[in-house]
Amino acid sequence: MGHNKINNILNSPTPAADPSPTPAPSATPPAPSGTPSGGGTPSPSPGAAPPTSPPGAKGSGEVHFHPESLKKLGDAIEKDVGAILKNARYKLNVKPRDAQPDAFTTFGFSCAMAYTEVIEFADQDLINKEKLLMDFNDRLHKAAMNQDEADRKSTLSGGQ
């Protein structure tokens, strides 16, 4: 399968820093003889440390986002995925638009009309996806701003 840029942007630890795919995880040890392979819940390896909460998380299960990381993620998604969508629009508008409806015979009139409508629909769909991408980035920025404001307002001040 090919290189999936969107998957790398969304799932890599630092989206803007490393556009290369993440390395594959190492192979897991074989299952003990008493358990069926591939079934059940995997148990941690004997020397592995117990799972820990993220650095900003509280013991109550609270989810905490680092506002600057959230903003950087939104900007990286908009930049990288936006470039992919713009490239797709460019490719759609070059070659397929060159075939005009009059290139079809008189017997293919309905095909000619359907062809032009499909090209226009795909173009409008890509435009809408770019708008949604910008909206997604704006929402990530607002979430970061809300997280920052909540942290600021919930912090006790030292001198009263």
Side-chain angles (χ1 to χ4, degrees), residues 2-53:
H3 179 68
N4 188 341
K5 292 180 183 179
I6 295 174
N7 182 38
N8 290 336
I9 292 167
L10 295 176
N11 296 321
S12 67
T14 54
D18 185 20
S20 64
T22 56
S26 62
T28 57
S33 60
T35 60
S37 81
T41 306
S43 60
S45 60
T52 58
S53 300

Side-chain angles (χ1 to χ4, degrees), residues 60-81:
S60 66
E62 173 186 341
V63 177
H64 183 82
F65 300 101
H66 186 256
E68 287 303 313
S69 296
L70 208 54
K71 288 178 185 177
K72 287 179 183 177
L73 175 66
D75 292 339
I77 289 172
E78 183 176 358
K79 180 182 148 240
D80 295 342
V81 177

